[in-house]
Amino acid sequence: MVASRSQLTSWQLLKEQADVLKDVHLQQLFAQDANRFSTFSVEIPGVLFDYSKQLVTEKVRDALVSLANECELTQWRDKMFAGEKINITEGRAVLHTALRNRAKTPIVVDGENVTEQVETELAKIKGFVEKVRSGQWLGYTGKAVKDVVSIGVGGSNLGPQMATEALASYVDDTLNVHYVSNVDGVQIAHVLKKVNPETTLFVVSSKTFTTSETMTNASTAVKWLRAAAGDNSAIAKHFVAVSTNLEKTAAFGIADENVFTMWDWVGGRFSMWSAIGLPIALYLGFDAFIDMLEGAFEVDTHFQQAPLSDNIPVLMGLLSVWNASFLDHRAQAILPYDQALHMLPAYLQQGEMESNGKSVTFAGSAVNYTTVPLIWGMTGINGQHAFYQYLHQGTTIVPADFIGSVQSQCEVDDHHTILMSNFFAQSEAMMNGVSAQQVREELAAKGVNEEQIAQLVEHKVHQGNRPTTSILLDKVDAKALGRLIALYEHKIFVQGIILEICSFDQWGVELGKGLAKNIESELRDNRIAEHDSSTSGLMAYYQAKRQ
Ligand code: F6P
């Protein structure tokens, strides 16, 4: 019987260290080591990773690294890159890294060299993208495409949308891109109002091609097009699909040559490097898409080669385990100080929480520790005017990732200076806090009288000691985005291995889906089957009001 993680020597040592450090303030750690920043930061091309404001010591870092070794992290990592079936409950390889294997080294899965398959697909994407962007791809009235509507949800939406939002500063005016992911008719109605059927291309992305929301949206788009074009022949000119399921795409009416494939060894939430990224390539051009792959490939190489104590995704994963499973901080904030990355928190919510929001180990036994923290966030500046009060003076400590860039995509007057002064100041304030003594001196210097100071002081004290990591990119461009996302992907992998959970299945999404299907037929038939009184009461109220 393999010892459970919490029985490992390093796990026990980390528990002891957590007891020691819970009475230590980050200020003390900085006071003790003038070189703390250089001791706890790592640089790779285009990225500075500073974790010196995390509540760690060299002793903790060493214990975390030995935990990684006791969990055979590097062996698991090598299995992943080699295409072994580490998605143990679905019996699949996990090879999003093969999608950006720019060295084009062979990777064989079930006798197939997947690298060749990827290269063939990339060539197909390149040809299609150039045809559409050059105006050679014509719609049913002979006009070139002007609007791309991406229909997909979860990993078939979040990656492309996050990326095109992140890189919108670089686009020319060749194509517009729109996203429909929610089955709420409001979203597709608003999009269809904005586009012309003669010049619109729909990209229906669904790994399974069975996801109800996506199929519903795609059917509505077909009806909309057919109403305008008058017959089905237009579908071939205005619909392409991205899926593993050629049977379903054919049944939907999309010819095989208009289907871009992906493979079962690509997890939905790790799929934007595959043809799921078609909207990115269409909107930004194929070269930008390749740049994104290049950036990710650099990080894959770093992850495979850097010593664990200097390995950024390894450190990210270990720090998250340290904060959540040892220091009991059950949330983690993602705070981009770059508007281009405004969708990063939403993207990472799926990436992190659909991967590691689990509670049983590889062997199926219940874990006895916190697994993934709640991932949330928003652009830092906007967060400062929304929830930073909570972060600074709340009763819950939330470790946060601050992500900023040296150069802005759009240098406007002194905006970037103001933006980055907040990036630096806020993590400093979270670390240092402000003492009662400092508050008193500050108020006295403003001439506030003793009585008012006595009333105010406790309200103005900030405990500080809020741990943060700061990630500084040179500039958010396609390559930088590829690096950043790959860092988080490998962080997620590291966390799963340390926590001994399968990060690559998602059985937790099935129950709700199944119940929704049953209730959908009850609503269609205007009946209510056996439910708890709340569900029955809600459905009865809804049905009565809908009459
Ligand atoms: O959320 C469940 C899920 O299966 C995700 O893992 C996936 O990205 C999403 O639904 C969409 O799935 P598909 O690409 O098969 O439509």
Side-chain angles (χ1 to χ4, degrees), residues 290-518:
I290 292 297
D291 282 348
M292 208 178 72
L293 302 187
E294 294 284 359
F297 179 61
E298 280 178 21
V299 164
D300 293 347
T301 309
H302 167 71
F303 179 44
Q304 285 178 289
Q305 294 177 353
L308 299 192
S309 56
D310 273 334
N311 193 309
I312 297 176
V314 171
L315 291 166
M316 289 169 79
L318 290 172
L319 286 166
S320 213
V321 169
W322 169 243
N323 280 323
S325 313
F326 291 93
L327 300 183
D328 204 26
H329 301 320
R330 300 185 180 202
Q332 180 173 348
I334 305 293
L335 305 172
Y337 275 79
D338 195 307
Q339 180 61 27
L341 297 174
H342 75 94
M343 274 197 70
L344 183 67
Y347 175 78
L348 291 177
Q349 284 185 322
Q350 186 197 15
E352 299 247 11
M353 294 200 276
E354 192 166 86
S355 296
N356 291 331
K358 315 280 172 67
S359 52
V360 296
T361 63
F362 298 150
S365 34
V367 297
N368 56 353
Y369 38 77
T370 300
T371 51
V372 76
L374 169 78
I375 299 293
W376 64 288
M378 151 190 305
T379 42
I381 291 292
N382 304 78
Q384 290 173 203
H385 301 275
F387 49 74
Y388 273 45
Q389 164 62 47
Y390 166 87
L391 291 181
H392 281 294
Q393 291 188 321
T395 53
T396 307
I397 291 182
V398 179
D401 286 3
F402 279 63
I403 303 157
S405 44
V406 175
Q407 307 291 342
S408 170
Q409 292 176 343
C410 309
E411 289 289 351
V412 178
D413 299 335
D414 55 356
H415 286 242
H416 204 63
T417 302
I418 297 166
L419 170 68
M420 293 309 285
S421 57
N422 284 278
F423 172 87
F424 298 119
Q426 289 291 345
S427 62
E428 182 182 40
M430 284 180 190
M431 187 273 286
N432 268 324
V434 63
S435 68
Q437 184 54 32
Q438 287 168 309
V439 169
R440 282 197 189 88
E441 284 162 10
E442 180 198 300
L443 291 174
K446 288 179 183 167
V448 177
N449 68 48
E450 261 312 306
E451 188 192 345
Q452 284 170 321
I453 288 176
Q455 277 172 347
L456 261 180
V457 62
E458 289 315 323
H459 295 276
K460 287 173 72 75
V461 167
H462 289 49
Q463 297 305 328
N465 214 19
R466 267 78 174 143
T468 59
T469 288
S470 295
I471 297 173
L472 258 182
L473 306 170
D474 287 355
K475 180 176 183 181
V476 177
D477 55 22
K479 191 167 273 191
L481 186 68
R483 293 187 188 112
L484 183 68
I485 301 303
L487 285 172
Y488 275 98
E489 286 181 341
H490 293 317
K491 173 227 178 175
I492 289 162
F493 171 82
V494 168
Q495 226 167 323
I497 296 300
I498 303 296
L499 297 167
E500 203 185 16
I501 56 181
C502 178
S503 303
F504 302 103
D505 56 18
Q506 51 283 324
W507 299 111
V509 305
E510 298 306 325
L511 176 62
K513 274 182 190 175
L515 296 181
K517 264 290 167 240
N518 299 339

Side-chain angles (χ1 to χ4, degrees), residues 161-308:
Q161 188 164 13
M162 179 275 298
T164 51
E165 285 293 301
L167 303 173
S169 299
Y170 301 102
V171 292
D172 54 25
D173 57 3
T174 308
L175 295 172
N176 304 312
V177 70
H178 314 265
Y179 292 90
V180 178
S181 50
N182 194 335
V183 76
D184 181 342
V186 169
Q187 195 172 43
I188 192 162
H190 286 185
V191 168
L192 295 181
K193 220 185 279 179
K194 284 190 260 185
V195 297
N196 172 351
E198 296 180 49
T199 57
T200 298
L201 174 72
F202 291 95
V203 181
V204 184
S205 298
S206 175
K207 181 176 173 181
T208 56
F209 227 74
T210 59
T211 302
S212 156
E213 299 92 333
T214 302
M215 296 301 104
T216 305
N217 280 319
S219 303
T220 298
V222 165
K223 281 183 212 145
W224 175 81
L225 180 77
R226 193 184 292 133
D231 65 33
N232 282 339
S233 63
I235 291 176
K237 297 184 169 69
H238 293 270
F239 280 81
V240 296
V242 183
S243 185
T244 58
N245 195 331
L246 281 176
E247 189 194 318
K248 293 279 186 187
T249 54
F252 186 82
I254 299 176
D256 284 5
E257 65 267 19
N258 286 352
V259 179
F260 295 86
T261 194
M262 56 191 289
W263 301 272
D264 72 6
W265 39 261
V266 179
R269 52 192 173 272
F270 302 102
S271 64
M272 75 176 198
W273 325 95
S274 73
I276 290 288
L278 205 50
I280 306 167
L282 285 166
Y283 187 52
L284 288 147
F286 185 74
D287 292 347
F289 184 68
I290 292 297
D291 282 348
M292 208 178 72
L293 302 187
E294 294 284 359
F297 179 61
E298 280 178 21
V299 164
D300 293 347
T301 309
H302 167 71
F303 179 44
Q304 285 178 289
Q305 294 177 353
L308 299 192

Side-chain angles (χ1 to χ4, degrees), residues 43-205:
E43 258 191 84
I44 59 173
V47 183
L48 167 64
F49 176 78
D50 168 21
Y51 64 109
S52 59
K53 294 195 184 91
Q54 290 284 349
L55 194 62
V56 290
T57 58
E58 290 183 85
K59 189 173 182 134
V60 168
R61 179 175 59 192
D62 294 348
L64 286 168
V65 169
S66 56
L67 176 61
N69 288 322
E70 279 195 276
C71 297
E72 300 185 331
L73 176 66
T74 53
Q75 292 90 320
W76 279 100
R77 175 197 62 196
D78 298 346
K79 283 179 190 171
M80 173 172 73
F81 277 91
E84 291 194 30
K85 296 185 175 171
I86 63 167
N87 176 350
I88 48 177
T89 65
E90 295 180 301
R92 293 173 178 171
V94 173
L95 272 172
H96 40 285
T97 49
L99 298 170
R100 70 254 188 157
N101 168 21
R102 305 307 293 154
K104 303 189 171 84
T105 45
I107 303 166
V108 179
V109 178
D110 295 334
E112 300 266 347
N113 177 2
V114 299
T115 301
E116 281 168 6
Q117 293 173 330
V118 168
E119 288 308 305
T120 305
E121 205 55 31
L122 278 175
K124 185 176 175 181
I125 292 168
K126 179 175 170 34
F128 175 69
V129 165
E130 285 169 354
K131 225 169 148 184
V132 173
R133 287 180 56 84
S134 65
Q136 291 168 50
W137 181 285
L138 302 176
Y140 72 94
T141 59
K143 291 180 183 165
V145 174
K146 188 60 198 164
D147 289 281
V148 172
V149 178
S150 164
I151 297 178
V153 72
S156 295
N157 161 253
L158 283 165
Q161 188 164 13
M162 179 275 298
T164 51
E165 285 293 301
L167 303 173
S169 299
Y170 301 102
V171 292
D172 54 25
D173 57 3
T174 308
L175 295 172
N176 304 312
V177 70
H178 314 265
Y179 292 90
V180 178
S181 50
N182 194 335
V183 76
D184 181 342
V186 169
Q187 195 172 43
I188 192 162
H190 286 185
V191 168
L192 295 181
K193 220 185 279 179
K194 284 190 260 185
V195 297
N196 172 351
E198 296 180 49
T199 57
T200 298
L201 174 72
F202 291 95
V203 181
V204 184
S205 298

